[in-house]
Amino acid sequence: LYTAPDSCEGRCGEPFSEEDECHCHTECERHHNCCEDYERHCGADGFSSSRDSITDQELLELSEQLYGVDHNKARPSDIAINPQHRAGPDETGDKQDRSPQPLYKYVNEELFSKPTYASFIKLLDNYQRATGREEEVTAEELREQDRFLEEVMKTELMKKLFVFLQGKNRYGSEQEFVQDLKEMWFGLYSRGDGERDSSGFEHVFSGTALPGAGPGAEPGRGLIPGSRLCLGEVKKGKVSGFHNWIRFYLLEKQGVVNYFSHNFNGPWDTYPDVLGLQFSWDGFYKEVGSAFIGCSPEFEFGLYSLCFLARPGRACHLSLGGHHLSVQTYPWTKSTYGGGRRFIATAYVMSP
């Protein structure tokens, strides 16, 4: 379904990138760096068509279009943040609180009554924070997942994303698209001791705390221009995932999240913006977390889904309001669904 980093499925004719493990462009045979299945997919009788590949230029153009139709995003008057101390590279890991005030000075909570926000917020309390304990998904929680997907699919943003993916022969119908979104984001797999204890949605949007790292860890340490915004998988009492601004605001308001500092502030002067930040969550520490600030739930959900489908396991280069940024996603490698499709392990925004 999506372009695996070591396969040419859906990648025939894709432009050369040094970041790729192997290549599917027309010159790869001459350079002896084709993926093993190049001939099967991209040869004269191959299964994939080059017109179905998603090019770098298309990602730049589509992300700008999705940015332009994020009608539910926060207006400048809806949010006031107070970033305070900007941490240097040698300060992000020392767990020192250098910002005495909360990050959020003000949020217009009328935003949360919008259908996509309201259905998103209902999902946030459906998960146990620690891994290794099997999630018990109730009928009500399944209905809440369906309601969230139903509401986001009413938006122009998600409809535009579907039309694009349908045009690339990734999905034959909106129903097929929605069902796959449900599996890739909400399908359960094990990050702990064999229990089905986590999902992509929980990890990215809600956050977890687990005893050790596993496949799909978020690599990278620290944030300077050109580096990754997000620290790795939770280890020894550190926070895993947790990249959503709404979740952060609600927990900070409850007093269980303590903002320490930031080490990156994006170039956007309207929302959504991007912030790299340090914080503790009920005693667990996040050395470098990344978050879109002020975007709608459907914007973040749609952008991460696009990048997972187009560039899983690789940097996905996008453009928002004329400024470049990248999203990194990783597929979960230990289990699959639907005949070999992968769950989302993690997704997060990186600096340009």
Side-chain angles (χ1 to χ4, degrees), residues 137-155:
V137 182
T138 66
E140 177 63 24
E141 289 171 355
L142 289 173
R143 284 193 291 272
E144 289 174 356
Q145 293 173 9
D146 290 337
R147 173 58 61 87
F148 172 70
L149 291 169
E150 178 185 323
E151 293 299 342
V152 297
M153 286 308 302
K154 291 177 182 177
T155 66

Side-chain angles (χ1 to χ4, degrees), residues 119-131 135 141 144-145 148 185-186 188-189 191 197-210 218 233-234 238-252 254 256-257 279-282 284 286 290-291 297 300-301 304 344-348:
S119 58
F120 173 82
I121 289 169
K122 278 189 173 294
L123 292 169
L124 295 177
D125 63 358
N126 289 351
Y127 302 102
Q128 300 185 58
R129 185 176 63 195
T131 60
E135 293 285 353
E141 289 171 355
E144 289 174 356
Q145 293 173 9
F148 172 70
W185 278 105
F186 295 103
L188 293 174
Y189 49 81
R191 287 182 188 266
D197 56 8
S198 189
S199 68
F201 184 92
E202 176 187 10
H203 179 82
V204 172
F205 294 105
S206 184
T208 53
L210 69 159
E218 302 160 18
E233 200 55 275
V234 170
K238 291 184 180 179
V239 178
S240 172
F242 196 169
H243 303 293
N244 179 256
W245 76 269
I246 301 168
R247 172 75 161 160
F248 190 101
Y249 165 73
L250 292 173
L251 290 179
E252 187 179 57
Q254 293 174 24
V256 295
V257 162
F279 61 91
S280 68
W281 172 25
D282 202 17
F284 296 96
K286 185 76 171 182
S290 60
E300 197 168 8
F301 186 74
Y304 289 158
I344 290 177
T346 192
Y348 53 91

Side-chain angles (χ1 to χ4, degrees), residues 89-102:
D90 59 338
E91 294 178 326
T92 58
D94 63 11
K95 302 184 182 180
Q96 296 297 310
D97 183 357
R98 295 180 170 87
S99 300
Q101 301 300 318

Side-chain angles (χ1 to χ4, degrees), residues 34-49:
C34 297
C35 297
E36 288 186 7
D37 60 2
Y38 172 79
E39 188 61 34
R40 182 160 69 93
H41 286 289
C42 306
D45 300 316
F47 295 112
S48 297
S49 167

